[in-house]
Amino acid sequence: MRRFVAVSAAVLAGIGLLTTSGSANPESAAPLLAEQAGGWAGTWATAPAAGVANTPDGYPGYSIRNVVHTSAGGDRTRVHLSNAFGAAPLTFGHVTIAVQRTGPDAVPGTLRSLAFGGAASVVVPAGAEVVSDPADLRVPADANLLVTTYVPAKSGPVTYHPLAMQTSYFTRNGDFAASESGAPYTEQTSVWHYVTGVDVQGGHPGSNARASIVTLGDSITDGYGSATGANHRWPDYLADRLHGRYGVLNAGISANRLLLDVPGSSAGQNALSRFDRDVLSVGDVRALIVLEGINDIQQEPHQTDPAAITSAYRQLVTQAHARGIRVLGGTLTPFKGWRVYDDTFEATRQAVNAFIRTGGVFDAVIDFDAALRDPADPLRLLPAYDSGDHLHPGDAGYERMAAAVRLDRL
């Protein structure tokens, strides 16, 4: 199954881990996944990373049409909006959701205005998030949605996710949130503003998600090096394999680290600091996949003590288990040839991977290292999987990563 950039009205109407290449038919394991009835499941998410630089007044008068991609479908939906990195209260004057036809155009008849406690507008305190009231909308799996926000007044720094790998749209000319036509949206952006999640409830044939899988990581999970607008991040390919049975939520942030913040950057808070917001506070999470730690090793200040990284893993697992969430550990992928690679950093990666594979901390292991490495030089990515910088996979590499996940371990 391929991922769609848009969906037509006709399509809409018709929609009424230890892993190695030798594992036995993981696709056949999908029916074994346990069902959890009745709740909300996340169909899309992103992790707020920072406040947009040089936005002391926010974006007053802007309507921003964020394009987001679903992993599971439902009959009702709600939206999460964030002011996590704001410095002042933020007013959303009008928020809508619709199914995308193409570009900023909505499929006719799918646009819904969202309410918040029954009101059309909502004020979000600095550092806070809000969730909209439910809206009746048949949300297809594997399709794009348009989440549009209109902010009428000055607000302070704008919370955003910088590496969307997706084109979104905006206008500076007032409230066009209710416009099915994309004509007012004359400008484009490559980041997501304000919106951090979309949930679905209630299933229809082929789209009956009952829970979500969260993928926590850095730029490799965020999809750096994949094709823009194609939804070729490895969590997207994993969602393809799950066929809408579970939502897949991407909590990757480029340049993110387990242990340290990166001051003055858009790399977000360290994974331990943001874990509650980006993983534990997400509703109905069944499993968590962790692929993080390479930036602790290769970024300055370099972390070359494996024990510090493995201690962070233990904390993540302990906190997730307290919420009944299974945790799968992903081995750190090869990076020989990357600009700062050296033998010391490689030794640290090898030690961390040995812990992931044999430490007994994770409920299951996904051996991304084994899946991507070059048999002729196992410290490098296989050239066919390399985006070209020797750290980040390309589309084929991301697809291979998703294929390495045994579905019966989720």
Side-chain angles (χ1 to χ4, degrees), residues 83-409:
N83 193 23
F85 293 95
L90 165 65
T91 298
F92 291 107
H94 195 181
V95 181
T96 63
I97 189 169
V99 180
Q100 183 195 44
R101 182 170 63 181
T102 185
D105 291 318
V107 172
T110 67
L111 191 141
R112 305 285 188 272
S113 288
L114 299 177
F116 301 84
S121 65
V122 65
V123 178
V124 189
E129 178 184 273
V130 294
V131 183
S132 75
D133 299 345
D136 291 330
L137 174 66
R138 178 160 286 190
V139 174
D142 199 20
N144 282 352
L145 301 177
L146 306 174
V147 179
T148 305
T149 60
Y150 167 64
V151 174
K154 294 180 179 181
S155 64
V158 174
T159 297
Y160 80 123
H161 183 91
L163 188 76
M165 303 306 298
Q166 175 66 62
T167 299
S168 293
Y169 306 90
F170 69 97
T171 176
R172 308 165 193 253
N173 297 322
D175 182 6
F176 289 94
S179 175
E180 287 186 343
S181 169
Y185 294 88
T186 57
E187 298 184 75
Q188 298 183 356
T189 176
S190 61
V191 310
W192 287 308
H193 297 90
Y194 302 125
V195 62
T196 57
V198 179
D199 300 335
V200 291
Q201 185 185 52
H204 48 277
S207 300
N208 56 349
R210 293 295 180 266
S212 301
I213 313 299
V214 176
T215 60
L216 179 68
D218 47 44
S219 55
I220 293 175
T221 297
D222 212 5
Y224 184 92
S226 65
T228 298
N231 301 299
H232 285 174
R233 311 164 193 87
W234 74 259
D236 297 319
Y237 283 114
L238 176 60
D240 283 347
R241 294 186 59 213
L242 290 168
H243 301 296
R245 291 179 59 83
Y246 291 87
V248 178
L249 307 182
N250 192 325
I253 299 177
S254 290
N256 196 240
R257 298 175 63 139
L258 278 167
L259 300 170
L260 296 176
D261 295 350
V262 183
S265 80
S266 59
Q269 296 165 316
N270 67 77
L272 286 172
S273 295
R274 66 188 183 90
F275 192 64
D276 185 78
R277 180 188 65 223
D278 294 344
V279 178
L280 300 182
S281 296
V282 178
D284 214 0
V285 176
R286 172 189 177 85
L288 166 69
I289 300 174
V290 177
L291 175 59
E292 189 142 20
I294 196 65
N295 287 333
D296 294 81
I297 297 169
Q298 66 92 14
Q299 289 177 355
E300 293 184 356
H302 302 291
Q303 178 56 256
T304 57
D305 179 5
I309 295 171
T310 59
S311 177
Y313 291 151
R314 291 181 186 276
Q315 277 299 311
L316 295 178
V317 172
T318 296
Q319 294 180 43
H321 281 176
R323 301 290 185 91
I325 299 170
R326 286 175 54 78
V327 187
L328 291 74
T331 53
L332 304 183
T333 54
F335 74 117
K336 184 178 178 181
W338 175 247
R339 57 178 177 262
V340 300
Y341 177 90
D342 71 12
D343 291 344
T344 298
F345 302 155
E346 178 60 42
T348 305
R349 185 182 75 94
Q350 294 290 346
V352 169
N353 280 350
F355 173 87
I356 293 169
R357 292 183 179 111
T358 65
V361 170
F362 294 101
D363 297 300
V365 173
I366 308 168
D367 204 338
F368 291 131
D369 173 36
L372 293 183
R373 65 194 181 203
D374 185 348
D377 187 351
L379 306 185
R380 290 183 180 270
L381 293 170
L382 186 73
Y385 297 151
D386 193 340
S387 68
D389 66 11
H390 311 303
L391 174 65
H392 301 94
D395 289 6
Y398 287 131
E399 187 171 21
R400 179 69 186 97
M401 289 176 70
V405 180
R406 275 185 53 176
L407 301 186
D408 61 341
R409 297 293 189 259

